[in-house]
Amino acid sequence: MPCIRQIIAGVVIAGALALASAYTAMADELASWNDGPARKNIVDFVTAVTSQGGPDYVEPAARVAVFDNDGTLWGEQPIYVQLAFVLDRVKALAPEHPEWKDTEPFKSVLVGDIAGVAASGEEGLTQLLGATHAGMNSDDFTKIATDWIATAKHPKTGKPYTSMVYQPMLELIDYLKAHDFKVFIVSGGGIEFMRPWTERIYGIPPENVVGSSIKAKYDVNDGKPAIVRLPQIDFIDDGPGKPVGIYDHIGRRPIAAFGNSDGDFQMLEWTTSGAGRTLGLIVHHDDAEREYAYDRKSPFGRLDRGLSEGPKRGWTIVSMKDDWNEIYPQ
Amino acid sequence: MPCIRQIIAGVVIAGALALASAYTAMADELASWNDGPARKNIVDFVTAVTSQGGPDYVEPAARVAVFDNDGTLWGEQPIYVQLAFVLDRVKALAPEHPEWKDTEPFKSVLVGDIAGVAASGEEGLTQLLGATHAGMNSDDFTKIATDWIATAKHPKTGKPYTSMVYQPMLELIDYLKAHDFKVFIVSGGGIEFMRPWTERIYGIPPENVVGSSIKAKYDVNDGKPAIVRLPQIDFIDDGPGKPVGIYDHIGRRPIAAFGNSDGDFQMLEWTTSGAGRTLGLIVHHDDAEREYAYDRKSPFGRLDRGLSEGPKRGWTIVSMKDDWNEIYPQ
């Protein structure tokens, strides 16, 4: 009998400890988010859709959350990281292409004339993508992207790009995963440019990454099979392309969407017009001191329509300055 | 002190019970597989890649397994299930299209002339797909496919198609999932035709389904957003398309691939030419009595090259007749 009593006491103590630690964990999970409406909206939403028996309950299988990448999970200023990769690759490959010195858009890249690159338009961009992202097999491209991301540095901070991810968003991903959400990246960036590092940096595996892509073909040479990357754009996962990319890759409508620019507008619109409770959230870059301040007029990550219409649509606008007490992982 | 001893005894007994139940579970997991080389190859492979510290160990994140659908997870005779869907839909829609009575390939469909349908070739097929799979929004198509699969019956057995899935393969999916594999369908069939029921029938969620697709666009009408399905083929996930579909959707090379026809050849080739231990497996339909017997000359699910080259490549050839003691779930 004393034995039973001791066991019961032990179970009660263990239970109390577990409960206390669950509360602490919940508080810690979003530690970089200041108390305020943004944090509250997130916690209220997650609590509502995970409360079994509640009116807003969503079963785990349908808890799909989608995150934009550039400007939402990591920085996109002064230029998109992938554009920095393109510029670096053109410079690295230039010795094999003496003709580039006199041919646009390569000429502008080599003399560092970003305006000239921009002036080459979509055709120029396709040429740059073809020269830097295609013509090799999938394993070789993965190695090129992996090697570059391991050594490239941000022009302002001198830090690796993968250390300039947003700590509050990392916490948000973990918080959602801890509540049985399936978390996906849905980015305008190249799908194969992101996949080599998203699992390590964000805890999001390659199969949960949706992005823009070029065409590829299967080829067997001397009995050795390979996926060969072709210089032809296959899919642009931006703006109205994002709901289409979600339909193709995920096959169901998300209940939560996180973005920062007008390229995410349709993804948030599609998500928040679904049945049941949903969450749409936009990160507003208004922190010139700790990061960057930009919105309606920025060439990268322009946020205009979302800033005007978002609040009317019930979307949460996150002020980087006021809502986040940390920007980067320490 | 007696209390401690009782607790220890309890822990030992609980441990022994757990161990015994694990062994029973393992035996039961592949209950419809007869003892033989096919079953042994599967168990040996899974044991090898999940044995921590062993030479063939693969971490859970990389345990990707891909399954063909038609002829591998469910039947494909006398015609592909999705073709039966197309024929039924043409008949259902015919009253709205009086001109179909005199126009191929619809005319042949309406008089039940399968050879005439086949003679209309790829162009005819595209027309049939356009008429039956496109022109509606994604939710409407999901409803059409869901309603059809709930009521359609196999012409020979009179059973719902979803009850004619292969019990041994269901056990194999569960067995792999129990060993922390990520299980995907990679099918030549339409991705949105499969997704409404794969989770319920196979336990494979929509986001783990890769298939052929038509193009789609995002559209907002009167403030109501929709994904509209367009009458244009986007991607054929068959033959050399399968490794490309895997690259696009999963982003890493599988370590196990399961198919039944030459449409799966490249998927098995791509999988089994990866580094480390892999498993390639082909279901050979040689059971005329309990299912169908067909291979090198079948118009649906033709298996010729795989049957000749598979064994030389170390692929496991499953004899439905000899290796399976059950075909369908009881």
Side-chain angles (χ1 to χ4, degrees):
Chain A
M1 284 309 275
C3 184
I4 297 291
R5 219 176 292 155
Q6 282 173 37
I7 290 170
I8 290 171
V11 168
V12 169
I13 291 168
L17 285 174
L19 208 65
S21 106
Y23 277 112
T24 314
M26 204 167 211
D28 281 343
E29 269 169 347
L30 298 173
S32 302
W33 292 78
N34 292 324
D35 273 335
R39 187 186 199 283
K40 185 177 183 316
N41 287 355
I42 293 168
V43 173
D44 286 353
F45 166 76
V46 171
T47 305
V49 299
T50 57
S51 294
Q52 212 149 3
D56 297 319
Y57 180 73
V58 176
E59 59 183 33
R63 289 182 204 157
V64 172
V66 288
F67 285 82
D68 168 57
N69 185 40
D70 297 309
T72 299
L73 297 181
W74 74 353
E76 62 185 353
Q77 301 292 352
I79 58 172
Y80 293 130
V81 179
Q82 195 172 1
L83 181 53
F85 169 72
V86 167
L87 302 183
D88 279 3
R89 286 301 295 162
V90 167
K91 285 171 200 159
L93 294 167
E96 300 162 34
H97 298 274
E99 75 281 8
W100 283 357
K101 276 206 301 281
D102 310 304
T103 325
E104 289 295 0
F106 304 99
K107 188 180 163 185
S108 290
V109 171
L110 293 174
V111 299
D113 174 12
I114 295 288
V117 176
S120 73
E122 200 179 309
E123 200 189 322
L125 189 67
T126 304
Q127 276 185 280
L128 289 173
L129 277 177
T132 57
H133 284 64
M136 71 292 282
N137 73 40
S138 59
D139 291 343
D140 290 342
F141 182 75
T142 297
K143 185 173 173 352
I144 290 168
T146 305
D147 289 350
W148 183 82
I149 206 84
T151 55
K153 301 281 193 299
H154 187 272
K156 189 169 143 186
T157 66
K159 287 183 184 172
Y161 290 106
T162 45
S163 74
M164 294 177 68
V165 296
Y166 304 133
Q167 175 64 22
M169 299 306 277
L170 297 181
E171 293 166 9
L172 180 51
I173 290 172
D174 288 344
Y175 177 65
L176 292 171
K177 285 168 71 176
H179 289 83
D180 292 329
F181 275 74
K182 300 174 180 185
V183 176
F184 291 82
I185 289 174
V186 177
S187 168
I191 191 166
E192 301 306 344
F193 176 72
M194 295 180 281
R195 281 174 163 165
W197 51 269
T198 55
E199 186 148 36
R200 185 169 49 89
I201 303 296
Y202 303 138
I204 298 177
E207 61 270 22
N208 284 21
V209 176
V210 182
S212 297
S213 57
I214 59 174
K215 287 201 185 287
K217 69 166 180 179
Y218 182 70
D219 204 24
V220 183
N221 247 319
D222 287 333
K224 211 178 138 49
I227 308 279
V228 180
R229 295 169 57 83
L230 306 174
Q232 199 185 340
I233 288 173
D234 182 46
F235 181 67
I236 305 283
D237 191 48
D238 198 33
K242 289 202 175 191
V244 175
I246 288 169
Y247 181 55
D248 185 39
H249 280 258
I250 307 176
R252 48 184 150 200
R253 201 189 289 220
I255 62 168
F258 306 90
N260 78 297
S261 79
D262 283 353
D264 305 312
F265 190 91
Q266 288 86 353
M267 176 168 86
L268 266 75
E269 180 178 61
W270 176 240
T271 300
T272 59
S273 61
R277 186 150 173 176
T278 60
L279 178 67
L281 182 150
I282 290 176
V283 175
H284 185 201
H285 293 260
D286 58 359
D287 193 333
E289 201 176 310
R290 296 185 300 173
E291 206 240 4
Y292 289 89
Y294 61 96
D295 46 43
R296 297 184 194 272
K297 285 173 181 162
S298 176
F300 299 105
R302 183 165 170 268
L303 174 66
D304 184 20
R305 189 178 172 196
L307 205 53
S308 303
E309 289 188 31
K312 296 177 216 160
R313 290 171 178 251
W315 301 347
T316 297
I317 311 292
V318 170
S319 161
M320 229 170 177
K321 197 156 157 260
D322 299 332
D323 289 315
W324 291 0
N325 59 56
E326 294 283 359
I327 305 287
Y328 303 118
Q330 294 300 308
Chain B
M1 283 309 274
C3 184
I4 297 290
R5 220 177 290 156
Q6 281 174 37
I7 290 171
I8 290 171
V11 168
V12 168
I13 290 167
L17 285 173
L19 208 65
S21 106
Y23 277 111
T24 314
M26 203 165 210
D28 281 344
E29 269 168 347
L30 298 173
S32 302
W33 292 77
N34 292 324
D35 274 336
R39 187 186 200 281
K40 185 177 183 314
N41 286 356
I42 293 168
V43 174
D44 286 354
F45 166 76
V46 171
T47 305
V49 299
T50 57
S51 295
Q52 213 148 2
D56 296 321
Y57 180 73
V58 175
E59 60 182 34
R63 288 182 205 157
V64 171
V66 288
F67 285 81
D68 169 57
N69 184 40
D70 296 309
T72 299
L73 297 181
W74 75 354
E76 62 185 353
Q77 300 292 353
I79 58 172
Y80 292 132
V81 178
Q82 195 172 1
L83 183 52
F85 169 73
V86 167
L87 303 183
D88 278 2
R89 286 301 295 160
V90 167
K91 286 170 198 161
L93 294 167
E96 301 163 35
H97 297 275
E99 75 282 6
W100 284 357
K101 278 205 299 282
D102 310 304
T103 326
E104 289 294 2
F106 304 100
K107 187 179 162 185
S108 291
V109 172
L110 293 175
V111 299
D113 174 12
I114 295 288
V117 176
S120 73
E122 201 179 309
E123 200 187 321
L125 189 68
T126 304
Q127 276 184 280
L128 289 173
L129 277 178
T132 57
H133 284 65
M136 72 291 282
N137 73 40
S138 59
D139 291 343
D140 291 343
F141 182 74
T142 297
K143 187 175 172 353
I144 291 167
T146 304
D147 289 351
W148 183 83
I149 206 85
T151 55
K153 301 280 194 299
H154 188 271
K156 188 169 144 186
T157 66
K159 289 183 183 173
Y161 290 107
T162 44
S163 75
M164 294 177 67
V165 296
Y166 304 132
Q167 175 64 23
M169 298 306 275
L170 298 182
E171 292 166 8
L172 180 51
I173 290 171
D174 288 345
Y175 178 65
L176 292 170
K177 285 167 73 175
H179 288 84
D180 293 329
F181 274 74
K182 300 175 180 184
V183 176
F184 292 81
I185 290 173
V186 177
S187 168
I191 191 166
E192 301 306 343
F193 177 72
M194 297 180 279
R195 281 175 163 166
W197 50 268
T198 55
E199 187 149 35
R200 184 170 50 86
I201 303 296
Y202 303 137
I204 298 177
E207 63 268 24
N208 284 22
V209 177
V210 182
S212 297
S213 58
I214 59 173
K215 287 201 185 290
K217 69 166 180 179
Y218 182 72
D219 204 24
V220 182
N221 248 319
D222 287 334
K224 210 177 139 48
I227 308 279
V228 179
R229 294 170 57 83
L230 306 174
Q232 199 185 339
I233 287 172
D234 182 45
F235 180 67
I236 305 281
D237 191 47
D238 197 34
K242 289 204 175 191
V244 175
I246 289 168
Y247 182 54
D248 185 38
H249 280 257
I250 308 177
R252 47 183 150 202
R253 201 189 289 219
I255 63 168
F258 305 90
N260 79 297
S261 79
D262 284 353
D264 305 313
F265 191 92
Q266 287 86 353
M267 176 167 86
L268 266 74
E269 179 178 61
W270 176 240
T271 300
T272 59
S273 61
R277 187 149 173 177
T278 60
L279 178 67
L281 182 149
I282 290 176
V283 175
H284 185 202
H285 293 260
D286 58 359
D287 193 332
E289 201 175 312
R290 295 185 300 170
E291 206 240 6
Y292 289 89
Y294 61 95
D295 45 42
R296 298 184 194 272
K297 285 174 181 163
S298 176
F300 299 105
R302 182 166 171 267
L303 175 65
D304 184 20
R305 189 179 173 197
L307 206 52
S308 303
E309 287 188 34
K312 295 177 216 159
R313 290 171 179 252
W315 301 348
T316 297
I317 310 292
V318 170
S319 161
M320 229 170 177
K321 197 156 158 259
D322 299 331
D323 288 316
W324 291 0
N325 58 56
E326 294 283 358
I327 305 287
Y328 303 118
Q330 294 301 310

